[in-house]
Amino acid sequence: MPVIRFTANLVRHRPVPEITAGGASVREALEEAWAGDPLLRSYILDEQGRLRKHVNVFVDGEMVTDRLRLSDPVAPGAEIYVLQALSGG
């Protein structure tokens, strides 16, 4: 099953441990991960269900390409990282 890890910045707002979740896509795995914490979902997705502008998701070190549907595939042993992107100067 994929393992999902959240950056320390997100963990500071929502106490999220490392999560093991099922699913064949990033969306399916994340939906399972935040099933018990809808507020966590709001930190990651906007009101239209898209990845927020300053959040990036990586699967096995590669940034997801589908920020709208999060349909990128995940293998059973994949590592998914959810990070807040830094901006500014």
Side-chain angles (χ1 to χ4, degrees), residues 60-83:
D60 293 331
E62 297 290 325
M63 189 181 307
V64 298
T65 57
D66 182 3
R67 295 181 59 86
L68 179 62
R69 295 182 315 268
L70 298 172
S71 64
D72 297 64
V74 293
E79 293 183 325
I80 300 171
Y81 291 92
V82 180
L83 311 165

Side-chain angles (χ1 to χ4, degrees), residues 6-7 10 13-14 26-27 30 34 37-58 63-70 81-87:
F6 298 86
T7 184
L10 284 171
H13 297 290
R14 301 300 309 154
V26 171
R27 169 78 66 176
L30 289 176
W34 59 54
D37 188 353
L39 188 55
L40 177 61
R41 183 182 195 277
S42 71
Y43 274 94
I44 299 168
L45 301 182
D46 65 16
E47 296 76 22
Q48 287 77 41
R50 297 179 301 226
L51 213 56
R52 289 194 177 277
K53 180 179 179 182
H54 295 291
V55 173
N56 289 325
V57 176
F58 292 81
M63 189 181 307
V64 298
T65 57
D66 182 3
R67 295 181 59 86
L68 179 62
R69 295 182 315 268
L70 298 172
Y81 291 92
V82 180
L83 311 165
Q84 284 183 310
L86 299 176
S87 64

